[in-house]
PDB file of all heavy atoms in Angstrom:
ATOM      1  N   LYS A   1      11.623  -4.356 -24.135  1.00 52.00           N
ATOM      2  CA  LYS A   1      11.042  -3.199 -23.482  1.00 52.00           C
ATOM      3  C   LYS A   1       9.621  -2.956 -23.983  1.00 52.00           C
ATOM      4  O   LYS A   1       9.390  -2.837 -25.183  1.00 52.00           O
ATOM      5  CB  LYS A   1      11.909  -1.965 -23.752  1.00 52.00           C
ATOM      6  CG  LYS A   1      11.477  -0.744 -22.984  1.00 52.00           C
ATOM      7  CD  LYS A   1      12.426   0.408 -23.241  1.00 52.00           C
ATOM      8  CE  LYS A   1      11.997   1.643 -22.440  1.00 52.00           C
ATOM      9  NZ  LYS A   1      12.920   2.783 -22.690  1.00 52.00           N
ATOM     10  N   PRO A   2       8.633  -2.918 -23.077  1.00 49.00           N
ATOM     11  CA  PRO A   2       7.260  -2.720 -23.529  1.00 49.00           C
ATOM     12  C   PRO A   2       7.043  -1.297 -24.030  1.00 49.00           C
ATOM     13  O   PRO A   2       7.783  -0.383 -23.690  1.00 49.00           O
ATOM     14  CB  PRO A   2       6.432  -2.992 -22.262  1.00 49.00           C
ATOM     15  CG  PRO A   2       7.361  -2.679 -21.138  1.00 49.00           C
ATOM     16  CD  PRO A   2       8.740  -3.037 -21.621  1.00 49.00           C
ATOM     17  N   LYS A   3       6.009  -1.160 -24.852  1.00 47.00           N
ATOM     18  CA  LYS A   3       5.679   0.156 -25.363  1.00 47.00           C
ATOM     19  C   LYS A   3       5.134   1.030 -24.238  1.00 47.00           C
ATOM     20  O   LYS A   3       4.372   0.556 -23.378  1.00 47.00           O
ATOM     21  CB  LYS A   3       4.642   0.038 -26.475  1.00 47.00           C
ATOM     22  CG  LYS A   3       5.141  -0.736 -27.689  1.00 47.00           C
ATOM     23  CD  LYS A   3       4.078  -0.797 -28.763  1.00 47.00           C
ATOM     24  CE  LYS A   3       4.579  -1.576 -29.981  1.00 47.00           C
ATOM     25  NZ  LYS A   3       3.550  -1.661 -31.045  1.00 47.00           N
ATOM     26  N   THR A   4       5.524   2.292 -24.244  1.00 45.00           N
ATOM     27  CA  THR A   4       5.069   3.212 -23.203  1.00 45.00           C
ATOM     28  C   THR A   4       3.615   3.574 -23.434  1.00 45.00           C
ATOM     29  O   THR A   4       3.159   3.797 -24.569  1.00 45.00           O
ATOM     30  CB  THR A   4       5.924   4.483 -23.231  1.00 45.00           C
ATOM     31  OG1 THR A   4       5.843   5.056 -24.531  1.00 45.00           O
ATOM     32  CG2 THR A   4       7.369   4.161 -22.899  1.00 45.00           C
ATOM     33  N   LEU A   5       2.855   3.622 -22.357  1.00 43.00           N
ATOM     34  CA  LEU A   5       1.449   3.977 -22.437  1.00 43.00           C
ATOM     35  C   LEU A   5       1.292   5.488 -22.391  1.00 43.00           C
ATOM     36  O   LEU A   5       2.176   6.216 -21.927  1.00 43.00           O
ATOM     37  CB  LEU A   5       0.679   3.328 -21.282  1.00 43.00           C
ATOM     38  CG  LEU A   5       0.733   1.788 -21.242  1.00 43.00           C
ATOM     39  CD1 LEU A   5       0.018   1.286 -20.008  1.00 43.00           C
ATOM     40  CD2 LEU A   5       0.133   1.180 -22.488  1.00 43.00           C
ATOM     41  N   ALA A   6       0.150   5.946 -22.874  1.00 46.00           N
ATOM     42  CA  ALA A   6      -0.114   7.382 -22.855  1.00 46.00           C
ATOM     43  C   ALA A   6      -0.206   7.882 -21.420  1.00 46.00           C
ATOM     44  O   ALA A   6       0.271   8.955 -21.083  1.00 46.00           O
ATOM     45  CB  ALA A   6      -1.400   7.689 -23.621  1.00 46.00           C
ATOM     46  N   VAL A   7      -0.844   7.072 -20.548  1.00 45.00           N
ATOM     47  CA  VAL A   7      -0.965   7.421 -19.133  1.00 45.00           C
ATOM     48  C   VAL A   7      -0.188   6.367 -18.344  1.00 45.00           C
ATOM     49  O   VAL A   7      -0.669   5.238 -18.162  1.00 45.00           O
ATOM     50  CB  VAL A   7      -2.440   7.453 -18.675  1.00 45.00           C
ATOM     51  CG1 VAL A   7      -2.524   7.825 -17.211  1.00 45.00           C
ATOM     52  CG2 VAL A   7      -3.233   8.412 -19.543  1.00 45.00           C
ATOM     53  N   PRO A   8       1.022   6.667 -17.914  1.00 48.00           N
ATOM     54  CA  PRO A   8       1.821   5.653 -17.215  1.00 48.00           C
ATOM     55  C   PRO A   8       1.198   5.270 -15.882  1.00 48.00           C
ATOM     56  O   PRO A   8       0.616   6.099 -15.193  1.00 48.00           O
ATOM     57  CB  PRO A   8       3.177   6.346 -17.023  1.00 48.00           C
ATOM     58  CG  PRO A   8       2.872   7.794 -17.068  1.00 48.00           C
ATOM     59  CD  PRO A   8       1.725   7.961 -18.016  1.00 48.00           C
ATOM     60  N   LYS A   9       1.320   3.994 -15.558  1.00 47.00           N
ATOM     61  CA  LYS A   9       0.808   3.510 -14.277  1.00 47.00           C
ATOM     62  C   LYS A   9       1.733   3.939 -13.153  1.00 47.00           C
ATOM     63  O   LYS A   9       2.931   4.080 -13.349  1.00 47.00           O
ATOM     64  CB  LYS A   9       0.710   1.977 -14.291  1.00 47.00           C
ATOM     65  CG  LYS A   9      -0.304   1.445 -15.296  1.00 47.00           C
ATOM     66  CD  LYS A   9      -0.373  -0.071 -15.210  1.00 47.00           C
ATOM     67  CE  LYS A   9      -1.398  -0.614 -16.188  1.00 47.00           C
ATOM     68  NZ  LYS A   9      -1.483  -2.096 -16.131  1.00 47.00           N
ATOM     69  N   PRO A  10       1.178   4.138 -11.967  1.00 46.00           N
ATOM     70  CA  PRO A  10       2.041   4.502 -10.833  1.00 46.00           C
ATOM     71  C   PRO A  10       2.973   3.348 -10.479  1.00 46.00           C
ATOM     72  O   PRO A  10       2.595   2.178 -10.542  1.00 46.00           O
ATOM     73  CB  PRO A  10       1.034   4.778  -9.703  1.00 46.00           C
ATOM     74  CG  PRO A  10      -0.204   4.048 -10.093  1.00 46.00           C
ATOM     75  CD  PRO A  10      -0.247   4.081 -11.589  1.00 46.00           C
ATOM     76  N   ALA A  11       4.197   3.694 -10.165  1.00 48.00           N
ATOM     77  CA  ALA A  11       5.201   2.673  -9.844  1.00 48.00           C
ATOM     78  C   ALA A  11       4.834   1.972  -8.546  1.00 48.00           C
ATOM     79  O   ALA A  11       4.455   2.605  -7.566  1.00 48.00           O
ATOM     80  CB  ALA A  11       6.582   3.325  -9.711  1.00 48.00           C
ATOM     81  N   ARG A  12       4.939   0.635  -8.558  1.00 44.00           N
ATOM     82  CA  ARG A  12       4.633  -0.149  -7.371  1.00 44.00           C
ATOM     83  C   ARG A  12       5.878  -0.304  -6.506  1.00 44.00           C
ATOM     84  O   ARG A  12       6.985  -0.419  -7.018  1.00 44.00           O
ATOM     85  CB  ARG A  12       4.112  -1.532  -7.755  1.00 44.00           C
ATOM     86  CG  ARG A  12       2.765  -1.501  -8.447  1.00 44.00           C
ATOM     87  CD  ARG A  12       2.198  -2.900  -8.557  1.00 44.00           C
ATOM     88  NE  ARG A  12       3.109  -3.804  -9.242  1.00 44.00           N
ATOM     89  CZ  ARG A  12       2.892  -5.105  -9.349  1.00 44.00           C
ATOM     90  NH1 ARG A  12       1.818  -5.639  -8.807  1.00 44.00           N
ATOM     91  NH2 ARG A  12       3.756  -5.873  -9.976  1.00 44.00           N
ATOM     92  N   ARG A  13       5.668  -0.342  -5.245  1.00 41.00           N
ATOM     93  CA  ARG A  13       6.786  -0.489  -4.314  1.00 41.00           C
ATOM     94  C   ARG A  13       7.297  -1.920  -4.334  1.00 41.00           C
ATOM     95  O   ARG A  13       6.522  -2.864  -4.251  1.00 41.00           O
ATOM     96  CB  ARG A  13       6.333  -0.117  -2.900  1.00 41.00           C
ATOM     97  CG  ARG A  13       7.450  -0.176  -1.879  1.00 41.00           C
ATOM     98  CD  ARG A  13       6.937   0.206  -0.514  1.00 41.00           C
ATOM     99  NE  ARG A  13       7.986   0.116   0.482  1.00 41.00           N
ATOM    100  CZ  ARG A  13       7.806   0.340   1.776  1.00 41.00           C
ATOM    101  NH1 ARG A  13       6.616   0.673   2.216  1.00 41.00           N
ATOM    102  NH2 ARG A  13       8.816   0.227   2.621  1.00 41.00           N
ATOM    103  N   LYS A  14       8.594  -2.078  -4.458  1.00 46.00           N
ATOM    104  CA  LYS A  14       9.193  -3.410  -4.485  1.00 46.00           C
ATOM    105  C   LYS A  14       9.159  -4.016  -3.088  1.00 46.00           C
ATOM    106  O   LYS A  14       9.531  -3.404  -2.114  1.00 46.00           O
ATOM    107  CB  LYS A  14      10.627  -3.329  -4.984  1.00 46.00           C
ATOM    108  CG  LYS A  14      10.738  -2.881  -6.428  1.00 46.00           C
ATOM    109  CD  LYS A  14      12.181  -2.728  -6.839  1.00 46.00           C
ATOM    110  CE  LYS A  14      12.879  -4.056  -6.837  1.00 46.00           C
ATOM    111  NZ  LYS A  14      14.255  -3.963  -7.322  1.00 46.00           N
ATOM    112  N   SER A  15       8.691  -5.267  -3.027  1.00 46.00           N
ATOM    113  CA  SER A  15       8.578  -5.950  -1.740  1.00 46.00           C
ATOM    114  C   SER A  15       9.661  -6.990  -1.535  1.00 46.00           C
ATOM    115  O   SER A  15       9.687  -7.634  -0.505  1.00 46.00           O
ATOM    116  CB  SER A  15       7.204  -6.621  -1.631  1.00 46.00           C
ATOM    117  OG  SER A  15       7.030  -7.557  -2.673  1.00 46.00           O
ATOM    118  N   ALA A  16      10.514  -7.207  -2.526  1.00 56.00           N
ATOM    119  CA  ALA A  16      11.566  -8.220  -2.403  1.00 56.00           C
ATOM    120  C   ALA A  16      12.881  -7.638  -2.895  1.00 56.00           C
ATOM    121  O   ALA A  16      12.921  -6.599  -3.554  1.00 56.00           O
ATOM    122  CB  ALA A  16      11.208  -9.476  -3.198  1.00 56.00           C
ATOM    123  N   ILE A  17      13.954  -8.332  -2.578  1.00 74.00           N
ATOM    124  CA  ILE A  17      15.280  -7.887  -3.003  1.00 74.00           C
ATOM    125  C   ILE A  17      15.473  -8.268  -4.459  1.00 74.00           C
ATOM    126  O   ILE A  17      15.392  -9.436  -4.834  1.00 74.00           O
ATOM    127  CB  ILE A  17      16.363  -8.536  -2.123  1.00 74.00           C
ATOM    128  CG1 ILE A  17      16.208  -8.048  -0.680  1.00 74.00           C
ATOM    129  CG2 ILE A  17      17.745  -8.224  -2.644  1.00 74.00           C
ATOM    130  CD1 ILE A  17      17.148  -8.716   0.279  1.00 74.00           C
ATOM    131  N   GLY A  18      15.723  -7.276  -5.299  1.00 72.00           N
ATOM    132  CA  GLY A  18      15.909  -7.511  -6.726  1.00 72.00           C
ATOM    133  C   GLY A  18      17.366  -7.444  -7.113  1.00 72.00           C
ATOM    134  O   GLY A  18      18.244  -7.124  -6.305  1.00 72.00           O
ATOM    135  N   PHE A  19      17.660  -7.733  -8.387  1.00 71.00           N
ATOM    136  CA  PHE A  19      19.038  -7.725  -8.870  1.00 71.00           C
ATOM    137  C   PHE A  19      19.646  -6.329  -8.799  1.00 71.00           C
ATOM    138  O   PHE A  19      20.848  -6.182  -8.640  1.00 71.00           O
ATOM    139  CB  PHE A  19      19.084  -8.240 -10.315  1.00 71.00           C
ATOM    140  CG  PHE A  19      18.870  -9.716 -10.424  1.00 71.00           C
ATOM    141  CD1 PHE A  19      17.618 -10.236 -10.691  1.00 71.00           C
ATOM    142  CD2 PHE A  19      19.919 -10.590 -10.241  1.00 71.00           C
ATOM    143  CE1 PHE A  19      17.420 -11.593 -10.785  1.00 71.00           C
ATOM    144  CE2 PHE A  19      19.739 -11.953 -10.333  1.00 71.00           C
ATOM    145  CZ  PHE A  19      18.480 -12.460 -10.607  1.00 71.00           C
ATOM    146  N   SER A  20      18.812  -5.308  -8.938  1.00 68.00           N
ATOM    147  CA  SER A  20      19.334  -3.948  -8.919  1.00 68.00           C
ATOM    148  C   SER A  20      19.403  -3.360  -7.517  1.00 68.00           C
ATOM    149  O   SER A  20      19.824  -2.228  -7.351  1.00 68.00           O
ATOM    150  CB  SER A  20      18.449  -3.048  -9.795  1.00 68.00           C
ATOM    151  OG  SER A  20      17.117  -3.041  -9.300  1.00 68.00           O
ATOM    152  N   SER A  21      18.991  -4.115  -6.525  1.00 77.00           N
ATOM    153  CA  SER A  21      18.977  -3.598  -5.161  1.00 77.00           C
ATOM    154  C   SER A  21      20.376  -3.625  -4.563  1.00 77.00           C
ATOM    155  O   SER A  21      21.195  -4.497  -4.869  1.00 77.00           O
ATOM    156  CB  SER A  21      18.027  -4.430  -4.296  1.00 77.00           C
ATOM    157  OG  SER A  21      18.151  -4.082  -2.936  1.00 77.00           O
ATOM    158  N   ARG A  22      20.649  -2.681  -3.692  1.00 81.00           N
ATOM    159  CA  ARG A  22      21.947  -2.650  -3.015  1.00 81.00           C
ATOM    160  C   ARG A  22      22.070  -3.776  -1.994  1.00 81.00           C
ATOM    161  O   ARG A  22      23.153  -4.034  -1.475  1.00 81.00           O
ATOM    162  CB  ARG A  22      22.154  -1.302  -2.328  1.00 81.00           C
ATOM    163  CG  ARG A  22      21.139  -0.995  -1.227  1.00 81.00           C
ATOM    164  CD  ARG A  22      21.386   0.383  -0.647  1.00 81.00           C
ATOM    165  NE  ARG A  22      22.628   0.441   0.070  1.00 81.00           N
ATOM    166  CZ  ARG A  22      22.736   0.284   1.379  1.00 81.00           C
ATOM    167  NH1 ARG A  22      21.657   0.073   2.114  1.00 81.00           N
ATOM    168  NH2 ARG A  22      23.904   0.355   1.978  1.00 81.00           N
ATOM    169  N   TYR A  23      20.974  -4.442  -1.701  1.00 86.00           N
ATOM    170  CA  TYR A  23      21.002  -5.551  -0.747  1.00 86.00           C
ATOM    171  C   TYR A  23      21.139  -6.903  -1.449  1.00 86.00           C
ATOM    172  O   TYR A  23      21.134  -7.944  -0.779  1.00 86.00           O
ATOM    173  CB  TYR A  23      19.720  -5.562   0.100  1.00 86.00           C
ATOM    174  CG  TYR A  23      19.458  -4.262   0.803  1.00 86.00           C
ATOM    175  CD1 TYR A  23      18.406  -3.433   0.419  1.00 86.00           C
ATOM    176  CD2 TYR A  23      20.271  -3.844   1.846  1.00 86.00           C
ATOM    177  CE1 TYR A  23      18.166  -2.235   1.059  1.00 86.00           C
ATOM    178  CE2 TYR A  23      20.047  -2.648   2.486  1.00 86.00           C
ATOM    179  CZ  TYR A  23      18.990  -1.842   2.089  1.00 86.00           C
ATOM    180  OH  TYR A  23      18.772  -0.654   2.732  1.00 86.00           O
ATOM    181  N   TYR A  24      21.245  -6.902  -2.782  1.00 87.00           N
ATOM    182  CA  TYR A  24      21.294  -8.180  -3.493  1.00 87.00           C
ATOM    183  C   TYR A  24      22.573  -8.957  -3.162  1.00 87.00           C
ATOM    184  O   TYR A  24      22.513 -10.150  -2.840  1.00 87.00           O
ATOM    185  CB  TYR A  24      21.194  -7.943  -5.004  1.00 87.00           C
ATOM    186  CG  TYR A  24      21.329  -9.209  -5.807  1.00 87.00           C
ATOM    187  CD1 TYR A  24      20.304 -10.143  -5.830  1.00 87.00           C
ATOM    188  CD2 TYR A  24      22.489  -9.484  -6.531  1.00 87.00           C
ATOM    189  CE1 TYR A  24      20.426 -11.310  -6.561  1.00 87.00           C
ATOM    190  CE2 TYR A  24      22.619 -10.643  -7.262  1.00 87.00           C
ATOM    191  CZ  TYR A  24      21.582 -11.552  -7.273  1.00 87.00           C
ATOM    192  OH  TYR A  24      21.702 -12.719  -7.989  1.00 87.00           O
ATOM    193  N   GLU A  25      23.741  -8.300  -3.243  1.00 88.00           N
ATOM    194  CA  GLU A  25      24.996  -8.983  -2.944  1.00 88.00           C
ATOM    195  C   GLU A  25      25.059  -9.469  -1.497  1.00 88.00           C
ATOM    196  O   GLU A  25      25.444 -10.618  -1.241  1.00 88.00           O
ATOM    197  CB  GLU A  25      26.179  -8.065  -3.262  1.00 88.00           C
ATOM    198  CG  GLU A  25      26.470  -7.915  -4.749  1.00 88.00           C
ATOM    199  CD  GLU A  25      26.873  -9.228  -5.399  1.00 88.00           C
ATOM    200  OE1 GLU A  25      27.379 -10.117  -4.678  1.00 88.00           O
ATOM    201  OE2 GLU A  25      26.672  -9.381  -6.609  1.00 88.00           O
ATOM    202  N   PRO A  26      24.695  -8.627  -0.488  1.00 89.00           N
ATOM    203  CA  PRO A  26      24.660  -9.151   0.891  1.00 89.00           C
ATOM    204  C   PRO A  26      23.699 -10.321   1.042  1.00 89.00           C
ATOM    205  O   PRO A  26      23.994 -11.280   1.759  1.00 89.00           O
ATOM    206  CB  PRO A  26      24.210  -7.944   1.720  1.00 89.00           C
ATOM    207  CG  PRO A  26      24.605  -6.759   0.915  1.00 89.00           C
ATOM    208  CD  PRO A  26      24.459  -7.169  -0.511  1.00 89.00           C
ATOM    209  N   PHE A  27      22.560 -10.248   0.365  1.00 90.00           N
ATOM    210  CA  PHE A  27      21.589 -11.332   0.469  1.00 90.00           C
ATOM    211  C   PHE A  27      22.153 -12.626  -0.114  1.00 90.00           C
ATOM    212  O   PHE A  27      21.975 -13.710   0.462  1.00 90.00           O
ATOM    213  CB  PHE A  27      20.301 -10.932  -0.245  1.00 90.00           C
ATOM    214  CG  PHE A  27      19.292 -12.044  -0.335  1.00 90.00           C
ATOM    215  CD1 PHE A  27      18.677 -12.531   0.807  1.00 90.00           C
ATOM    216  CD2 PHE A  27      18.966 -12.604  -1.562  1.00 90.00           C
ATOM    217  CE1 PHE A  27      17.746 -13.564   0.728  1.00 90.00           C
ATOM    218  CE2 PHE A  27      18.052 -13.637  -1.646  1.00 90.00           C
ATOM    219  CZ  PHE A  27      17.438 -14.107  -0.502  1.00 90.00           C
ATOM    220  N   MET A  28      22.836 -12.542  -1.263  1.00 91.00           N
ATOM    221  CA  MET A  28      23.419 -13.741  -1.860  1.00 91.00           C
ATOM    222  C   MET A  28      24.530 -14.309  -0.974  1.00 91.00           C
ATOM    223  O   MET A  28      24.707 -15.527  -0.877  1.00 91.00           O
ATOM    224  CB  MET A  28      23.972 -13.417  -3.252  1.00 91.00           C
ATOM    225  CG  MET A  28      22.911 -13.005  -4.260  1.00 91.00           C
ATOM    226  SD  MET A  28      21.592 -14.232  -4.433  1.00 91.00           S
ATOM    227  CE  MET A  28      22.514 -15.622  -5.065  1.00 91.00           C
ATOM    228  N   THR A  29      25.285 -13.427  -0.312  1.00 91.00           N
ATOM    229  CA  THR A  29      26.308 -13.897   0.626  1.00 91.00           C
ATOM    230  C   THR A  29      25.677 -14.651   1.785  1.00 91.00           C
ATOM    231  O   THR A  29      26.165 -15.714   2.208  1.00 91.00           O
ATOM    232  CB  THR A  29      27.116 -12.703   1.155  1.00 91.00           C
ATOM    233  OG1 THR A  29      27.705 -11.999   0.054  1.00 91.00           O
ATOM    234  CG2 THR A  29      28.220 -13.169   2.095  1.00 91.00           C
ATOM    235  N   LEU A  30      24.569 -14.130   2.318  1.00 91.00           N
ATOM    236  CA  LEU A  30      23.873 -14.811   3.412  1.00 91.00           C
ATOM    237  C   LEU A  30      23.287 -16.146   2.934  1.00 91.00           C
ATOM    238  O   LEU A  30      23.284 -17.125   3.696  1.00 91.00           O
ATOM    239  CB  LEU A  30      22.768 -13.910   3.955  1.00 91.00           C
ATOM    240  CG  LEU A  30      23.222 -12.644   4.691  1.00 91.00           C
ATOM    241  CD1 LEU A  30      22.028 -11.756   5.020  1.00 91.00           C
ATOM    242  CD2 LEU A  30      23.973 -12.985   5.961  1.00 91.00           C
ATOM    243  N   CYS A  31      22.805 -16.190   1.697  1.00 91.00           N
ATOM    244  CA  CYS A  31      22.269 -17.447   1.168  1.00 91.00           C
ATOM    245  C   CYS A  31      23.361 -18.513   1.079  1.00 91.00           C
ATOM    246  O   CYS A  31      23.114 -19.692   1.359  1.00 91.00           O
ATOM    247  CB  CYS A  31      21.641 -17.220  -0.205  1.00 91.00           C
ATOM    248  SG  CYS A  31      20.070 -16.330  -0.158  1.00 91.00           S
ATOM    249  N   ARG A  32      24.569 -18.099   0.687  1.00 90.00           N
ATOM    250  CA  ARG A  32      25.678 -19.063   0.637  1.00 90.00           C
ATOM    251  C   ARG A  32      26.050 -19.545   2.036  1.00 90.00           C
ATOM    252  O   ARG A  32      26.509 -20.679   2.204  1.00 90.00           O
ATOM    253  CB  ARG A  32      26.883 -18.438  -0.052  1.00 90.00           C
ATOM    254  CG  ARG A  32      26.727 -18.288  -1.561  1.00 90.00           C
ATOM    255  CD  ARG A  32      28.041 -17.912  -2.227  1.00 90.00           C
ATOM    256  NE  ARG A  32      28.415 -16.547  -1.909  1.00 90.00           N
ATOM    257  CZ  ARG A  32      28.075 -15.495  -2.635  1.00 90.00           C
ATOM    258  NH1 ARG A  32      27.333 -15.647  -3.711  1.00 90.00           N
ATOM    259  NH2 ARG A  32      28.468 -14.287  -2.288  1.00 90.00           N
ATOM    260  N   MET A  33      25.865 -18.692   3.047  1.00 91.00           N
ATOM    261  CA  MET A  33      26.182 -19.098   4.421  1.00 91.00           C
ATOM    262  C   MET A  33      25.258 -20.203   4.915  1.00 91.00           C
ATOM    263  O   MET A  33      25.658 -21.018   5.754  1.00 91.00           O
ATOM    264  CB  MET A  33      26.092 -17.894   5.351  1.00 91.00           C
ATOM    265  CG  MET A  33      27.196 -16.878   5.177  1.00 91.00           C
ATOM    266  SD  MET A  33      27.044 -15.522   6.371  1.00 91.00           S
ATOM    267  CE  MET A  33      28.429 -14.496   5.857  1.00 91.00           C
ATOM    268  N   ILE A  34      24.005 -20.218   4.434  1.00 90.00           N
ATOM    269  CA  ILE A  34      23.062 -21.237   4.892  1.00 90.00           C
ATOM    270  C   ILE A  34      22.825 -22.288   3.815  1.00 90.00           C
ATOM    271  O   ILE A  34      21.768 -22.923   3.771  1.00 90.00           O
ATOM    272  CB  ILE A  34      21.725 -20.606   5.337  1.00 90.00           C
ATOM    273  CG1 ILE A  34      21.059 -19.869   4.171  1.00 90.00           C
ATOM    274  CG2 ILE A  34      21.918 -19.667   6.488  1.00 90.00           C
ATOM    275  CD1 ILE A  34      19.654 -19.403   4.502  1.00 90.00           C
ATOM    276  N   ASP A  35      23.801 -22.463   2.941  1.00 89.00           N
ATOM    277  CA  ASP A  35      23.746 -23.517   1.927  1.00 89.00           C
ATOM    278  C   ASP A  35      24.339 -24.787   2.521  1.00 89.00           C
ATOM    279  O   ASP A  35      25.517 -24.821   2.903  1.00 89.00           O
ATOM    280  CB  ASP A  35      24.516 -23.089   0.681  1.00 89.00           C
ATOM    281  CG  ASP A  35      24.333 -24.075  -0.462  1.00 89.00           C
ATOM    282  OD1 ASP A  35      23.643 -25.097  -0.258  1.00 89.00           O
ATOM    283  OD2 ASP A  35      24.887 -23.834  -1.548  1.00 89.00           O
ATOM    284  N   ALA A  36      23.545 -25.825   2.603  1.00 87.00           N
ATOM    285  CA  ALA A  36      23.988 -27.064   3.259  1.00 87.00           C
ATOM    286  C   ALA A  36      25.158 -27.719   2.545  1.00 87.00           C
ATOM    287  O   ALA A  36      25.942 -28.449   3.174  1.00 87.00           O
ATOM    288  CB  ALA A  36      22.821 -28.053   3.348  1.00 87.00           C
ATOM    289  N   ASP A  37      25.304 -27.466   1.234  1.00 83.00           N
ATOM    290  CA  ASP A  37      26.390 -28.110   0.492  1.00 83.00           C
ATOM    291  C   ASP A  37      27.762 -27.699   1.014  1.00 83.00           C
ATOM    292  O   ASP A  37      28.742 -28.425   0.837  1.00 83.00           O
ATOM    293  CB  ASP A  37      26.292 -27.758  -0.986  1.00 83.00           C
ATOM    294  CG  ASP A  37      25.040 -28.350  -1.625  1.00 83.00           C
ATOM    295  OD1 ASP A  37      24.396 -29.179  -0.954  1.00 83.00           O
ATOM    296  OD2 ASP A  37      24.712 -27.980  -2.756  1.00 83.00           O
ATOM    297  N   HIS A  38      27.863 -26.538   1.660  1.00 83.00           N
ATOM    298  CA  HIS A  38      29.150 -26.078   2.182  1.00 83.00           C
ATOM    299  C   HIS A  38      29.523 -26.780   3.492  1.00 83.00           C
ATOM    300  O   HIS A  38      30.671 -26.690   3.929  1.00 83.00           O
ATOM    301  CB  HIS A  38      29.114 -24.571   2.419  1.00 83.00           C
ATOM    302  CG  HIS A  38      28.941 -23.770   1.165  1.00 83.00           C
ATOM    303  ND1 HIS A  38      29.784 -23.878   0.086  1.00 83.00           N
ATOM    304  CD2 HIS A  38      28.003 -22.860   0.814  1.00 83.00           C
ATOM    305  CE1 HIS A  38      29.386 -23.076  -0.876  1.00 83.00           C
ATOM    306  NE2 HIS A  38      28.307 -22.444  -0.468  1.00 83.00           N
TER     307      HIS A  38
END
C-alpha cells in the first residue's frame, strides 16, 4: 500500500473490467465461451 499524500489525487474512472467489478465473473464466463480449446 503506497503512502497517502497530503493532497490526494482525484480518482480516475475505470475504463476496463477489474477483479473487483461486478462484471468480472460474467466477463470470465464469456471468455471461456470463446476459448478455442473447448
